[in-house]
Amino acid sequence: MTPIGVTGPLRSMERVDWADRRGARAALVTAIVLAVAVAVVIVVRTPWSVLPVPPGGRAPVDPTAGLTAAQLHRAQSFADAARPPSLISLGLSLAVAVLFGLTRLGARLVRSVARPLGGGWVWQVLLGVVALVVIGRLVTLPPAAYGEVVAHRYGLSTSSWALWLRDAAVSTGIDSAFTALPLLVLVWLARRVPRTWWAWAAAGAALLVIVGSFLWPVLVEPAFNRFAPLPAGPLRTELLTLAARNGTPVKDVLVADASRRTTALNAYVSGFGSTRRIVVYDTVLASLPDRQIVSIAAHELGHVSADDVLTGTLIGALGTAAGVALLGWLLTAGGLLRRAGADGPADPRVVPLLLFLVAAGTLLVTPVQNLVSRHIEARADIHALDLTRDPDAFVAMQRRLAVSGLAEPDPPAFLHWFFGDHPTTAERVAFAADWSRLARK
Ligand SMILES: [Zn+2]
């Protein structure tokens, strides 16, 4: 209803406002639908229970995981030394995101960094992102450097300071590029199609997650490590036979030159389809007996068998799309924009607010992601036991992993719930005990 006497321009503004509100509601509904889809995929694809209860109940979880008192003490004192800098680092990066995203400081920064280049919106987005990423990195550099000192002191890091700084610079560059380009597209869309930008951006972001999952191992991993095929020999033959027995196509087992940086032991599987590969750290080859390396590879093959990378990619793609649709709703709410000193998603001054919202969203979904991850990892553990039928090597390997990485076998519950992406060593050793009792049955 238009009151009598309202002039033309006002009426049309009112209409725009209604269209905006309809658009905002569509964005919210889309976000909710996608979030429900993510929840369904998580509920259906997460292996909530990976091992039946053995007769007589589950093995009690021994919080020491069978480590010696000296090993436990060393892991504990490392955690005490390393945890504060890493939590401080997280807190500082959030504080930076809040400071620039929820005040007008960020908008001013975006304006001023682009001024020498003419101040166009493209430069505001690109240089604004680079400036914010670099500031975030510089602020967290002191606690990160202290964490590196601790890692050196405990013999966990072998990286030279030159290599450490080079890594920090390279990852800042990669973060800047991977943040600036998507945000440039987002602001461009908001300028081109002001009502439906979020829908295009959500679809594009989902696509980017899927493509990224293919390209990450090819494009990003080589920026940090060199990979060489595991040389021919009994171990290579055994691992390829294991993969064949597992019924999964693995063309190659690669060795990463991780010892340039760390003494930690690790292996992983990344990519899928033609880019899928199993990667084993050279530290693993240097320090573990073959039986334990086979156990690690069998765990990784468990991920391949269960298509865990595909599940992760699907959840990531849907979740990212839901997040972008939610941005579409949040960025029509005047309150946040006013706070950030931006006119709307088409205004490059929105960049600091976007980075804050992404940081906050990422932190909020971390416990959910890790909950799913822990179950998926537990399934891969059981798969390794099924495939190798060698619980002794599995347990010995878990202990070696914990000792070499100075991981507490039974970390504080809250921290594990929030940050733990694998079951604890204590739990993993208990899996093997349960598995053995079920196998004997
Ligand atoms: Zn795993």
Side-chain angles (χ1 to χ4, degrees):
M1 282 266 290
T2 310
I4 298 158
V6 169
T7 51
L10 257 180
R11 250 204 327 269
S12 83
M13 264 175 71
E14 206 171 62
R15 223 175 292 135
V16 169
D17 190 41
W18 270 109
D20 275 354
R21 255 181 257 171
R22 253 209 320 276
R25 208 179 314 132
L28 182 60
V29 169
T30 306
I32 292 171
V33 168
L34 286 168
V36 169
V38 173
V40 169
V41 173
I42 286 177
V43 167
V44 171
R45 294 284 297 178
T46 303
W48 297 107
S49 168
V50 289
L51 199 64
V53 178
R58 294 208 184 280
V61 175
D62 170 8
T64 72
L67 300 191
T68 67
Q71 288 168 335
L72 291 170
H73 180 258
R74 197 169 154 72
Q76 182 65 56
S77 64
F78 173 70
D80 290 345
R83 208 163 267 147
S86 92
L87 290 175
I88 286 170
S89 193
L90 175 65
L92 282 175
S93 58
L94 285 172
V96 167
V98 168
L99 181 66
F100 287 97
L102 292 184
T103 70
R104 284 160 187 263
L105 205 59
R108 253 179 263 145
L109 178 79
V110 166
R111 274 276 156 92
S112 54
V113 287
R115 206 164 289 138
L117 288 163
W121 72 269
V122 172
W123 287 119
Q124 289 189 46
V125 174
L126 290 180
L127 296 180
V129 168
V130 172
L132 288 163
V133 170
V134 169
I135 290 171
R137 183 56 53 101
L138 288 177
V139 166
T140 55
L141 213 56
Y146 178 73
E148 178 68 9
V149 169
V150 171
H152 265 282
R153 195 188 304 149
Y154 281 83
L156 208 55
S157 172
T158 55
S159 181
S160 66
W161 283 105
L163 183 61
W164 185 82
L165 279 172
R166 176 246 176 225
D167 284 353
V170 169
S171 66
T172 306
I174 289 176
D175 287 354
S176 299
F178 276 77
T179 312
L181 296 177
L183 289 198
L184 190 66
V185 172
L186 188 148
V187 174
W188 175 74
L189 280 168
R191 297 171 82 88
R192 285 292 302 248
V193 281
R195 300 244 187 287
T196 53
W197 65 269
W198 55 269
W200 298 101
L207 197 68
L208 206 64
V209 170
I210 295 166
V211 172
S213 175
F214 273 107
L215 293 186
W216 192 263
V218 188
L219 289 185
V220 176
E221 284 169 16
F224 295 95
N225 283 114
R226 271 188 285 279
F227 300 90
L230 178 64
L235 181 63
R236 184 183 169 86
T237 311
E238 195 173 351
L239 292 180
L240 289 176
T241 314
L242 190 76
R245 202 148 55 75
N246 193 49
T248 47
V250 171
K251 283 205 187 103
D252 211 349
V253 182
L254 298 179
V255 182
D257 60 345
S259 56
R260 286 168 69 212
R261 294 184 174 81
T262 180
T263 55
L265 307 175
N266 198 12
Y268 60 95
V269 57
S270 68
F272 51 91
S274 57
T275 67
R276 180 168 60 214
R277 66 261 198 88
I278 290 178
V279 178
V280 182
Y281 278 17
D282 56 356
T283 48
V284 169
L285 293 180
S287 61
L288 291 194
D290 283 6
R291 263 172 75 198
Q292 295 181 26
I293 299 175
V294 168
S295 198
I296 294 183
H299 169 101
E300 298 308 323
L301 288 168
H303 288 310
V304 178
S305 278
D307 279 330
D308 289 338
V309 175
L310 200 63
T311 302
T313 304
L314 185 64
I315 293 173
L318 285 171
T320 306
V324 174
L326 192 63
L327 282 180
W329 179 64
L330 288 172
L331 293 185
T332 13
L336 274 178
L337 287 168
R338 257 195 307 281
R339 224 169 218 294
D343 294 333
D347 178 355
R349 287 174 301 176
V350 81
V351 161
L353 174 61
L354 278 172
L355 292 185
F356 162 74
L357 290 171
V358 170
T362 306
L363 189 71
L364 284 178
V365 301
T366 296
V368 179
Q369 248 172 350
N370 284 335
L371 174 74
V372 174
S373 173
R374 288 193 296 270
H375 282 93
I376 283 175
E377 294 298 337
R379 171 170 62 191
D381 278 350
I382 302 305
H383 187 93
L385 289 162
D386 287 340
L387 192 60
T388 60
R389 308 195 67 77
D390 190 354
D392 293 344
F394 177 88
V395 168
M397 176 268 284
Q398 292 299 345
R399 288 182 184 141
R400 285 293 284 273
L401 252 51
V403 169
S404 75
L406 294 175
E408 290 172 290
D410 186 36
F414 174 76
L415 290 174
H416 182 63
W417 171 78
F418 204 98
F419 297 108
D421 49 9
H422 284 63
T424 66
T425 305
E427 289 166 340
R428 300 176 91 171
V429 167
F431 290 160
D434 283 343
W435 183 92
S436 300
R437 281 162 66 213
L438 281 162
R440 267 202 302 274
K441 186 177 66 163

